[in-house]
Amino acid sequence: MTDLTLAALGWSEDFQSQLDTGESEATPPARLCDVHRDRVQALTPDGEITLTLPGELQAGDLAVGDWVLFDPAEQRITRALERHSVLRRRAAGTVLMHQLIAANVDTLMIVTSCNADFNPARLERYLTLAASSDTQPLIVLTKADLVDNGAEFIARAEALSPHVRAITLDARDPAALAALLPWLKPGATVALVGSSGVGKSTILNGLTGEASETQGNRKGDSKGRHTTTARSLRPTRSGAWLIDTPGMRSLGMSDSGDGIDRVFSDLTELATQCKFSDCAHQSEPGCAIQAAIKSGEVDADRFRRWEKLLAEDRFNSETPSEARARKRGFTKKIRASVQGKRGRPGQ
């Protein structure tokens, strides 16, 4: 039987310190395990309950893993507690909005596979997500039984950031899943992320003892089929909590500058050695990064991915006034260029 004491659910002094004297007696705490459009499911020491939302709170304001206080008589949330970490991404669309993925996560378990799914650019996005939320990253490389060079995949994964650990395993082997136990201590919370079909559901089944649906590889592309459709908080055999997430087709960057700096800390530090403080790292004299690329110290592809993430983050994080100023500046450059051509002899 799952231990549902507050401590076992992940309660800590950080959350206790947010309560007023006697507040937990009138409005006890609960941890969200499922978020629906107009209600949530939550776990308490007395079991799972259904809670409604107050008028000022919407489902999009809450994430699986959140702690809330509730009114037992009305079965209604009274307030949400501050998170110690939150995973979010830029929502699709032209309006700058964020989509919550999970809250109060200790470890982000990034699942990929030792085949065509191994994508450095995508992994760096997940690592940035972890760094931006002060969540420990762990890259789990599945389908290691299909390759002869599992150690090479580990080296490639750990080369993406000085702050990441990577391991390989056969997700179908219960004994192999024991390698994950250091991150699955009682009361800890782990979020599973990764592309569809890389083995997240297989890992979840092995760690929780559940039998969620999994499907084999599709013919021709070595990818499994998508099975997870919603986020939920589930207990593991070791006493930790696991948040499974649907495979995400995109992971947009927004307000992730600090996370990008941490993932690419070597490039961030190297950039401070450039001759000019506003160096664009292209053809400027005294560029430390370009010198490192020429010497082989820095991988050119990794540098380009770093630049792309920074540019995307700046674009997605700017305010409406900043966007208007950028567009005005771009228009002025175009006009100046056109006028310059008109002023040339023979034009």
Side-chain angles (χ1 to χ4, degrees), residues 68-341:
V68 299
L69 302 182
F70 71 98
D71 182 336
E74 298 184 5
Q75 295 288 284
R76 179 177 54 85
I77 293 175
T78 56
R79 73 180 178 101
L81 300 184
E82 293 182 11
R83 307 158 174 133
H84 70 69
S85 68
V86 59
L87 302 174
R88 71 180 85 204
R89 64 172 175 172
R90 188 186 189 280
T94 57
V95 179
L96 179 56
M97 296 180 62
H98 292 97
Q99 179 186 27
L100 299 180
I101 300 172
N104 300 314
V105 173
D106 301 299
T107 300
L108 185 67
M109 199 174 289
I110 306 163
V111 186
T112 185
S113 53
C114 298
N115 57 21
D117 184 77
F118 187 92
N119 185 314
R122 186 192 307 129
L123 290 174
E124 285 165 347
R125 286 177 179 268
Y126 281 123
L127 292 174
T128 297
L129 174 67
S132 298
S133 61
D134 292 324
T135 301
Q136 180 184 18
L138 173 67
I139 295 179
V140 179
L141 296 155
T142 62
K143 304 181 183 180
D145 55 307
L146 302 179
V147 298
D148 298 325
N149 56 343
E152 179 182 330
F153 278 91
I154 290 178
R156 290 173 60 190
E158 293 186 342
L160 296 176
S161 173
H163 307 290
V164 67
R165 170 86 182 275
I167 61 173
T168 59
L169 54 79
D170 180 353
R172 300 167 301 175
D173 182 2
L177 292 177
L180 300 176
L181 291 180
W183 294 272
L184 295 167
K185 298 186 182 302
T189 301
V190 174
L192 277 173
V193 295
S195 303
S196 298
V198 294
K200 297 195 306 295
S201 294
T202 303
I203 291 175
L204 182 143
N205 291 346
L207 296 178
T208 64
E210 297 181 2
S212 61
E213 182 183 0
T214 61
Q215 300 184 38
N217 289 350
R218 299 181 301 201
K219 293 182 180 180
D221 63 3
S222 300
K223 295 182 179 180
R225 297 179 184 274
H226 171 81
T227 54
T228 302
T229 58
R231 302 175 184 89
S232 59
L233 183 72
R234 306 182 186 184
T236 68
R237 299 174 187 267
S238 65
W241 294 90
L242 201 59
I243 300 177
D244 193 14
T245 66
M248 290 181 279
R249 294 183 178 179
S250 64
L251 187 60
M253 296 290 101
S254 176
D255 297 323
S256 303
D258 289 343
I260 296 172
D261 286 347
R262 290 176 61 181
V263 172
F264 295 88
S265 58
D266 55 330
L267 296 181
T268 303
E269 174 61 28
L270 194 58
T272 64
Q273 301 174 27
C274 292
K275 182 177 180 179
F276 301 105
S277 60
D278 60 347
C279 182
H281 315 305
Q282 299 301 322
S283 57
E284 294 85 351
C287 176
I289 288 183
Q290 285 299 324
I293 291 175
K294 290 179 180 179
S295 68
E297 179 185 350
V298 168
D299 178 69
D301 288 338
R302 186 164 181 268
F303 164 67
R304 283 190 286 269
R305 295 195 300 269
W306 176 56
E307 280 199 312
K308 181 178 179 180
L309 286 180
L310 286 174
E312 179 182 332
D313 183 67
R314 284 194 297 267
F315 181 82
N316 288 338
S317 303
E318 64 186 7
T319 64
S321 60
E322 290 171 337
R324 288 192 294 270
R326 174 176 53 80
K327 292 177 181 177
R328 285 196 298 269
F330 179 73
T331 301
K332 288 180 180 179
K333 288 182 179 180
I334 296 296
R335 289 175 178 171
S337 176
V338 172
Q339 291 174 354
K341 289 182 179 180

